Amino acid sequence: MKLLNNSILLISVILLTLSVGKANAFSGFSLQQIVKQDTVKKDTAKVKTKNNSDLEQKVEYKADDSVKMSKDKNIIYLYGNARIKYGDFELDANYIQVDQKNHTIFAKGTKDPKTGRYVGRPISKSGAEGSAIADSIFYNTETTRGKVYGVFSEQEGGFFSGGQSKKQIDDELHIKNVMYSTCNLPHPHFGLMISKGVVTEKQIITGPVYMIIEDVPTPLALPFAFFPKPNKRSSGFILPTPGEDATKGFFLQNGGYYIGLNDYWDAKLMGTIYTNGSYETSLLSSYTKRYKFNGNINFNYSSSKNGLEGTEAFRNPAKVFHLAWMHSQNANARPGTTFSASVNLGSSSYFTATGANATYDQRAIATNTMSSSISYAKAYPNGMNYSLSLGSDQTLSSKDISIRFPTGTFNVPTFSPFDSKNRVGEQKWYQKITVGYGLQGTNSITTKDSLLFQNDGLKRLQSGFQHTIPVSMSFTALKYLNFSMGGTYNEVWNFQTTRSRYTRFADGTYTSRMDTISGFKRAGSYNLSTSLTTNIYGKKVFNHLGNIKALRHVMTPSISFNYSPDFTKDGAGPYKSAIDQNGQAIYDANNQELRYSIFQTSAFPGSFSGKTASIGFGLGNIVELKVKSSKDTTGTGERKIPIIQNLTINGSYNFLAPIHKLSTLSMSGRSQFTDKLGINYNGTFDPYALDETTVSGVRTFTRSNDFTWTRGAKLPRLTNFGFSFDYSLNPEALKSKNEANDKLADAAKKKGLSDLQSEQLAAISRDPNAFVDFNIPWNFSFSYSFQYSNDLGVSSVSNTLNFNGDFNLTPKWKFTFNSGYDFKNNGLTPMNIAIYRDLHCWDMSVNWVPYGAYKSYSVTIKVKASILQDLKLSKRQGFYSTYQ
C-alpha cells in the first residue's frame, strides 16, 4: 500500500499540466516576437487584457526556421526549434501553433525525413518544478482544459512516460495508461502501470494499477485505490520481512507504522516477532530545522528466549536495550553558543544478544565500550567561556559504568595584568607575565550497571570542584632560545572523603577497610617550573645520488625544571598516617611510614605528591628527503618525503626521590617509507636492572636501584614496544576510499557532528554495498599491529591482522570480503563475504558470514531508488542465536 501511495503521489505529470496551466493568460495577450538577426523583422505590441486591465504582460516567442501568421493574424505558426516563454514558463518544440482567437496552444514534434525518427518533442518547464517531455500537447487557455500525449517527465528520481493526461476546467487531472518507473532508460526495465485515474488537489482515485517487468505484466496489482494527497508527510504501515532463525523460529521482521508528525519531525515504530515468543521493538525518530539543528533518536528493546522450552533461559528471557541520540546544531544558528548530544548507552550484552541489531557487523558485535555526552557551551567576545555536560562511559566486558551528571567548566583566558592597552614601545619583563583561571566541577558515580538503580546507588555519587590558576612568563634569550618560567596553583574542593582503618595481625601483616564520609574538605598545591627549547637544523645536499637531492634533519631539544614541595606531611595536604587498631604507625616494605590521601576516591584527587625537584628532557626529530618528482615532466620539480615524522624521546630525573630517580624513557614516532606505507611506533625503556629471587622454586623479579649499564648492559631494558601500519596493494582503491572518507569527514564537519557521530557516519563506509565502485577492478588491503611488553620479567606479545579486498568478476559483478587472523588461537576471525550485482535500476546483494557464532546469510533484490525502498525481495537466514 505504501509503495503504491508513493508511486501515485509522484505522478508528476501534474507538473506538465500545471505548467501549461500557467498559459491561460494567453487568452487576452499579444505576443512579443524575438528572432535571430536578419531572419524576421521584430514586431512587438502591448495590449491591456480584460482580466488585467491595468497590467501589461508580454509573451516572447521565436523559431529558427520560420514564423508565420494567418491572414487574420490570429494564428501564429512557429517552425524549427520553436519557443514560447511567459514568466517562468517555457515551452520548446519543433512545431508550435498559437490560436489567439480560439485560445488554444498546440505543440508537437516532427518526423526527421532522413532518419524517420520523431524529433523535437515538446519540452515544458516551469520555474523550479523541473521539465517534462511529451509527444504532443493541446491546451485551451480559456477553458483551462488540455490534453498531453506520451508524456515523459522526471520528478525526485522517478520517471513518468506514455499514456494520456487530460486537464479539466475544475483543475481535475485525468490520466490513462501512464507508467511510473525509477529506471531512466527510454524503454524502462520495470514500471507501475496506472491504467486510469483522477487526480484532484487533495486526493487520487485510480483504477487498476499493476507492475510491469521487462514488458511482462505481473500479478502484483490492485483493482482500485483511493489515496489522500496532502502537501505534507503522510503516515502509513511498514510491511515486515519474513524469515527464519535457527533457534527462535520463524519471524516477521521490522514491521510497523510510519508517523509523519509534521514537516520537521517523523517517527517509525517497528517490531519483530518470533514463533518461540521472542520479540524486538524499536523507535526511530528524525527531526531537522534548516539552518538551525538536526538529529535523530533510536531506541531498541529486545526480549530473547534462547533456550529450549522448559529451561531456565526460556522461562527468563534476556531483556536488553540500546539508546542512541544524536543532535547537532548549525554553527551559524547561534554564534558563540553550541548544544550537541551524542548518546550511546544500553545493556552490556545488547550487541552480542541481538547480533548488532541483526546487522552482524563484526565491529559492532566486538564493541567493548560505549560513551555518551550531552553538552552546552557559551563563549563570550572577551574570551571567557563556560560549558555544562552530561556523560557516561561503559565497559561492556566488565559491566562497569561511569555517569557524570553534570560536569561544568568555566575558563578565563590568560591575560597580562601588568600590561597596558595603551603601551608604547616594547614590553618590559613584568608586562610579559600572564595569568589565567580555570574552574571544573563534577558530580559522578562509578559502579556496576546492575547496581546503578538499587536503593543505595546514588550514595556512590562523588561531587567536587577544582580551581587552576596558571602564571607564566616567556621570552627569547640569545636570539634562538625560547625560555619560559612560571607556576600553577591547584585547589580542590570535595564533598566526599575517605578514611582507612588498618588491622595488624601477629605476623606483621595487615589489612585495611575504607569508609566514605560526607562533608566538605579542601586542599591546595602548587608547583614551579622553567623550560628552555630551540630548533637545530641540519641539511646535506647530494649531487650524485640519483633522484635523491638532499636530506634535512630538524632536532628540537628541550629541557625543563620542576619543583613542588612536600604535600604528604600533616597539615600540608590531604594525607594522613596509617594507624592500626592499637594506634601504632604502619610501615611499608621500604620501612617508610605508610600514609594515604583522604581524596584518593574523591571526585578530584588533586596533585598532592612528595617533594620533587626534577629535570625533564626531551628530543624531537624530523627527517625529510628531497627527491626529484616523477610527476613533473619538466624535470625540475622536487617533492619531500617525510622519513621520520616527529620521533620524540622524553624522560625526567628527580633529585629528591629516595629511589629510582631517573624515570623510564618513552619513545614514539612515525615513519613514512613510501607515499602509501607509513608506520606508527612507540616504546618504553627502563634504565634500572632487575633483581631475581627464587622462593619455593618460583622465580620473581623486582626492580633494583642499579642502572642497567652498571651490570654490563649497554642500553636500558625494553619494557614496551609496538608498531602498526596499513597498506593497500591498489593505490587507486586507496585513493577512492580516502576520498569517500574525506567526503564523510567534510559532511560531519559542516553539520557540526561530534566524534561519536562522525564514527557512526563513517561506519556506513564499512558496508560492502555502501561504496561499490566498479571503476576499481580489484583491491586487497590489510592492517597489522604488534605490541610487546616485559613487565618484571613477564613478557607478552599481542598482534592483530585484518584484511579486506574486492574484485570485479565481470563489469557488473563485484565480490568483497573482510576478515582477519587471530594469532592467539591460530585461526581466522569471522569473515564477511558480499556479492553485488548491478542491475541498472535494480541491484542484488548477497551477504554471507560462513562460520562463527554469527553464521548467517541474506539475499536482497531491490530497486535502487530510495523512493521505492519497499519494492524488494529479501531472503535472510540467521544462526547467531545459541542454546543456553
Side-chain angles (χ1 to χ4, degrees), residues 36 204 290 451 658 661 798:
K36 292 184 177 180
I204 301 174
R290 185 176 295 180
L451 303 177
K661 297 180 183 295
S798 64

Side-chain angles (χ1 to χ4, degrees), residues 2-10 155-159 180-182 190 192 863-871:
K2 179 182 176 184
L3 169 63
L4 187 57
N5 188 15
N6 287 337
S7 62
I8 300 241
L9 288 177
L10 287 173
Q155 185 73 13
E156 297 183 358
F159 301 89
Y180 169 72
S181 176
T182 57
F190 82 101
L192 297 172
V863 176
K864 286 184 179 180
S866 60
I867 195 66
L868 294 180
Q869 58 182 329
D870 290 332
L871 189 56

Side-chain angles (χ1 to χ4, degrees), residues 633-654:
T633 57
T634 64
T636 60
E638 296 176 340
R639 64 188 180 96
K640 295 180 180 179
I641 298 178
I643 302 300
I644 298 178
Q645 295 176 307
N646 199 23
L647 171 61
T648 61
I649 301 174
N650 296 288
S652 64
Y653 187 88
N654 186 0

Side-chain angles (χ1 to χ4, degrees), residues 358-363 736-737 740-741 744 761-774 776 779 803-808 812-819 831-838 843-849 856-860 862 876:
T359 63
Y360 309 117
D361 185 348
Q362 297 299 324
R363 292 175 180 259
S736 176
K737 179 182 177 181
N741 292 335
L744 288 174
L761 181 63
I764 299 174
S765 65
R766 296 194 290 267
D767 182 354
N769 298 327
F771 298 104
V772 180
D773 190 355
F774 281 95
I776 306 298
N779 177 45
F803 56 85
N804 62 82
D806 61 75
F807 59 90
N808 294 351
K812 295 294 184 179
W813 286 88
K814 171 75 78 171
F815 179 90
T816 69
F817 62 92
N818 64 80
S819 183
M831 176 178 289
N832 183 278
I833 297 174
I835 301 175
Y836 182 87
R837 175 65 165 94
D838 185 2
D843 60 40
M844 180 184 72
S845 60
V846 179
N847 287 276
W848 180 33
V849 180
S856 61
Y857 75 86
S858 65
V859 181
T860 301
K862 63 181 179 66
R876 188 185 189 103

Side-chain angles (χ1 to χ4, degrees), residues 324-337:
W325 174 34
M326 293 190 297
H327 176 94
S328 60
Q329 175 181 301
N330 189 288
N332 299 321
R334 299 183 63 187
T337 302

